[in-house]
Amino acid sequence: MPVSPINYGDRHSPASSILRRIVCPTVLTSVLNKADLKTETDLETLASDVMAITRGMTDMAGIRRELDGVALRAQTRQAVFGYLGLTPPRM
Protein backbone atom coordinates (compact mmCIF):
# COMPACT_ATOMS: atom_id res chain seq x y z
CA MET A 1 0.00 0.00 0.00
CA PRO A 2 1.54 3.37 -0.99
CA VAL A 3 2.26 5.92 1.70
CA SER A 4 0.67 9.33 1.18
CA PRO A 5 2.07 12.64 2.40
CA ILE A 6 0.66 14.21 5.54
CA ASN A 7 -2.65 15.80 4.66
CA TYR A 8 -2.98 19.32 5.94
CA GLY A 9 -6.74 19.25 5.86
CA ASP A 10 -9.75 20.79 4.24
CA ARG A 11 -10.16 24.31 5.59
CA HIS A 12 -13.58 24.71 4.03
CA SER A 13 -15.55 21.80 5.46
CA PRO A 14 -18.24 22.72 8.02
CA ALA A 15 -16.87 20.21 10.54
CA SER A 16 -13.37 21.66 10.22
CA SER A 17 -14.74 25.15 10.77
CA ILE A 18 -16.65 24.17 13.91
CA LEU A 19 -13.64 22.33 15.33
CA ARG A 20 -11.29 25.21 14.59
CA ARG A 21 -13.53 28.01 15.88
CA ILE A 22 -15.35 26.44 18.82
CA VAL A 23 -14.33 22.98 20.00
CA CYS A 24 -10.53 23.23 19.89
CA PRO A 25 -10.23 26.61 21.65
CA THR A 26 -12.67 25.51 24.35
CA VAL A 27 -10.92 22.21 25.00
CA LEU A 28 -7.44 23.77 24.85
CA THR A 29 -8.43 26.56 27.24
CA SER A 30 -9.72 23.96 29.70
CA VAL A 31 -6.52 21.90 29.45
CA LEU A 32 -4.30 24.97 29.80
CA ASN A 33 -6.29 26.10 32.83
CA LYS A 34 -5.51 22.79 34.54
CA ALA A 35 -1.80 23.08 33.65
CA ASP A 36 -1.32 25.98 36.11
CA LEU A 37 0.95 27.88 33.71
CA LYS A 38 3.16 30.68 35.02
CA THR A 39 2.24 33.33 32.45
CA GLU A 40 0.51 36.67 32.23
CA THR A 41 -1.04 35.75 28.87
CA ASP A 42 -4.74 34.93 29.01
CA LEU A 43 -5.73 31.32 28.36
CA GLU A 44 -7.77 32.10 25.24
CA THR A 45 -4.72 33.70 23.63
CA LEU A 46 -2.51 30.78 24.62
CA ALA A 47 -5.06 28.33 23.16
CA SER A 48 -5.20 30.32 19.93
CA ASP A 49 -1.39 30.45 19.73
CA VAL A 50 -1.09 26.69 20.31
CA MET A 51 -3.58 26.09 17.51
CA ALA A 52 -1.61 28.41 15.22
CA ILE A 53 1.67 26.62 16.00
CA THR A 54 0.22 23.18 15.33
CA ARG A 55 -1.67 24.28 12.24
CA GLY A 56 1.31 26.08 10.77
CA MET A 57 3.64 23.15 11.32
CA THR A 58 1.11 20.67 9.96
CA ASP A 59 0.34 22.80 6.91
CA MET A 60 4.03 23.22 6.09
CA ALA A 61 4.63 19.48 6.47
CA GLY A 62 1.82 18.88 3.97
CA ILE A 63 3.19 21.45 1.57
CA ARG A 64 6.64 19.81 1.79
CA ARG A 65 4.91 16.45 1.25
CA GLU A 66 6.46 14.98 4.38
CA LEU A 67 5.63 11.36 5.11
CA ASP A 68 6.79 10.98 8.70
CA GLY A 69 3.83 11.73 10.95
CA VAL A 70 5.70 10.48 14.02
CA ALA A 71 8.48 13.01 13.49
CA LEU A 72 5.96 15.80 12.88
CA ARG A 73 4.17 14.92 16.10
CA ALA A 74 7.44 15.05 18.05
CA GLN A 75 8.46 18.37 16.49
CA THR A 76 5.05 19.95 17.06
CA ARG A 77 4.93 18.67 20.63
CA GLN A 78 8.35 20.19 21.33
CA ALA A 79 7.29 23.52 19.80
CA VAL A 80 4.07 23.72 21.83
CA PHE A 81 5.63 22.70 25.13
CA GLY A 82 8.51 25.12 24.50
CA TYR A 83 6.11 27.97 23.74
CA LEU A 84 4.26 27.26 26.98
CA GLY A 85 7.55 27.14 28.92
CA LEU A 86 7.05 23.49 29.83
CA THR A 87 9.16 20.38 29.51
CA PRO A 88 7.33 17.64 27.62
CA PRO A 89 6.69 14.56 29.76
CA ARG A 90 8.44 11.36 28.68
CA MET A 91 6.33 9.12 26.53
Side-chain angles (χ1 to χ4, degrees), residues 1-89:
M1 172 180 267
V3 177
S4 62
I6 296 166
N7 182 353
Y8 58 101
D10 178 5
R11 293 190 175 120
H12 305 292
S13 75
S16 176
S17 178
I18 290 169
L19 281 171
R20 186 174 58 254
R21 290 182 302 109
I22 300 168
V23 176
C24 287
T26 303
V27 171
L28 276 173
T29 300
S30 176
V31 169
L32 293 171
N33 186 45
K34 293 177 184 175
D36 191 32
L37 300 170
K38 310 295 186 239
T39 181
E40 299 294 318
T41 307
D42 65 276
L43 295 177
E44 290 78 18
T45 299
L46 289 175
S48 180
D49 290 350
V50 166
M51 288 176 53
I53 291 167
T54 57
R55 177 140 190 193
M57 292 182 75
T58 303
D59 283 357
M60 285 309 299
I63 290 167
R64 290 189 307 263
R65 303 188 59 78
E66 290 186 16
L67 301 174
D68 190 350
V70 173
L72 175 62
R73 180 178 184 267
Q75 293 161 356
T76 304
R77 187 172 185 263
Q78 186 65 40
V80 168
F81 274 86
Y83 170 73
L84 296 173
L86 301 171
T87 302

